[in-house]
Structures are given as C-alpha cells and as structure tokens.
Amino acid sequence: NAGVTQTPKFQVLKTGQSMTLQCAQDMNHEYMSWYRQDPGMGLRLIHYSVGAGITDQGEVPNGYNVSRSTTEDFPLRLLSAAPSQTSVYFCASSPEPNTGELFFGEGSRLTVL
Amino acid sequence: AQSVAQPEDQVNVAEGNPLTVKCTYSVSGNPYLFWYVQYPNRGLQFLLKYITGDNLVKGSYGFEAEFNKSQTSFHLKKPSALVSDSALYFCAVRDDNYGQNYVFGPGTRLSVLP
C-alpha cells in the first residue's frame, strides 16, 4: 500500500530558483491538498483540489502554484523560491471532502538559502 | 471564520497515568473535529474524528476524545499512557459552512516519562 507518495524528501534551493514538489496517491481520492508546517504554527493550507481540473487557494497560497490534471497527481510549484518558504511540506488526500480524514505523505523538507 | 486552539505547548505525564491533551475550537456552523499524531520526521496519522452522534469517540491506539458542544472542546484522552505515545498531537476542525478546508491547531508535544 503506497498511499500518498511525496518526492523529493529533501531539497536545498537558492533564492530565486524554481522547483516542483511531487505528490501522488493511489487511493482514488478526489480531494488532495498541500500544507506547510512551521514550528509553533501547526499546518497551514497552501492549495487544495476537489477533483481533476479543479484547484483553489488555501490560507497561504502566495508564491505557489498547483495543477490537477489527473486524480492521482497534485504537484506543487515554487515559482521563485524565497527564504520564507523554508519549511516542511505535506501533501494529503481524503476520500470524502467534508467528513473524511486526511491521509498524509511523509513530507518534503525544503531549505531556501 | 474557523479556528482551533491547543492551550498547552507541552504535556508531560508519567507512564501508566491518564493523559489529556486539550483542544478548543470556534466555528460558525457544525464542527467536524479530528485528532492527528505526528512522530519525528513522519507525516501526520489520523487518530479519531467526531462528525455526529455519540459525544465520546474512540480511536486508534486506545485514544478517545469527548465532544463538548457547550464548551466548544474536543479533548484527547487515554486512560494509561505509554512511552511510545510520546509525539506531537494536532487537533483539527472543519466547519460545515466552509466546505472542505481543515484548520489545524498549533500542536501539543506529549512526553510520557518512564
């Protein structure tokens, strides 16, 4: 059971560089989301999707783009990395958008120098 | 707007003693409440949820939580703590007036001392 798979697990970027964090799930979940985790702040929602072709912004969307071309994949793009984007990023999916629990990936630790 | 508070950054408890991790919430509609646990360098894992029905909810690893609507609380409890319960615990809420977005609390670090 793969569940939610995130790559890469670790990444170091220089300010201004771009990159894509990959997320794939094999549970046929319609709902997928990206969070960032910073110490003392819990998890904050960046973007989410309720199905292929549908995305929306969360609490902290600036500097990030997403797309959802398939049910399985939900990549997160950093357009021009900034030190403030140093964080741990989690992808999560859910079988039912309103009452279902989230299934999380193992996280991607990003450092922007 | 919806919000979640976890008033304690850290909870220490001796192994074998009961534990409580506190959570209070604010929503405009009906709340859907969740608890997750995070072990070091891992993603969050679902423990339990309250959607409707019985106020006492039982979940994984012997944890339970009680929904209290009048106090807007959803405290996590376990009758007898284990050292292996030491982890970071997050409370989360969905407001049925706000669709699919979760709001997470800041987390409470639980340390169970042998």
Side-chain angles (χ1 to χ4, degrees), chain A residues 46-88:
Chain A
I46 304 171
H47 286 284
Y48 68 98
S49 168
V50 297
I54 306 169
T55 63
D56 207 345
Q57 295 181 352
E59 180 185 356
V60 288
N62 292 342
Y64 307 95
N65 272 359
V66 292
S67 59
R68 186 93 180 271
S69 56
T70 67
T71 299
E72 295 78 19
D73 299 300
F74 191 45
L76 178 72
R77 297 183 185 83
L78 281 70
L79 307 173
S80 177
S84 60
Q85 294 178 304
T86 294
S87 187
V88 181

Side-chain angles (χ1 to χ4, degrees), chain B residues 28-89:
Chain B
S28 59
N30 291 315
Y32 302 142
L33 294 154
F34 302 79
W35 275 102
Y36 292 84
V37 60
Q38 185 180 32
Y39 298 101
N41 300 313
R42 303 295 300 276
L44 280 69
Q45 297 176 32
F46 169 74
L47 280 179
L48 51 79
K49 65 181 177 182
Y50 171 83
I51 303 301
T52 187
D54 253 346
N55 289 344
L56 184 63
V57 178
K58 294 187 184 297
S60 307
Y61 312 119
F63 284 94
E64 59 187 30
E66 186 165 12
F67 170 63
N68 188 317
K69 187 172 183 178
S70 63
Q71 297 187 4
T72 61
S73 67
F74 190 57
H75 301 330
L76 182 70
K77 300 182 180 185
K78 187 173 182 182
S80 178
L82 300 172
V83 173
S84 56
D85 292 331
S86 298
L88 191 55
Y89 290 80

Side-chain angles (χ1 to χ4, degrees), chain A residues 31 35 37 40-43 45 48 50 57 90 94 96-102 104-106 109, chain B residues 32 34 36 38 41-46 49 51 88 90 94 99-107:
Chain A
Y31 181 87
Y35 290 86
Q37 183 179 26
M41 301 186 72
L43 276 75
L45 181 65
Y48 68 98
V50 297
Q57 295 181 352
F90 288 98
S94 180
E96 207 292 313
N98 291 318
T99 60
E101 62 269 28
L102 290 170
F104 283 85
E106 293 290 288
R109 184 175 293 275
Chain B
Y32 302 142
F34 302 79
Y36 292 84
Q38 185 180 32
N41 300 313
R42 303 295 300 276
L44 280 69
Q45 297 176 32
F46 169 74
K49 65 181 177 182
I51 303 301
L88 191 55
F90 291 96
R94 268 181 176 157
Q100 292 85 21
N101 292 344
Y102 274 85
V103 172
F104 282 83

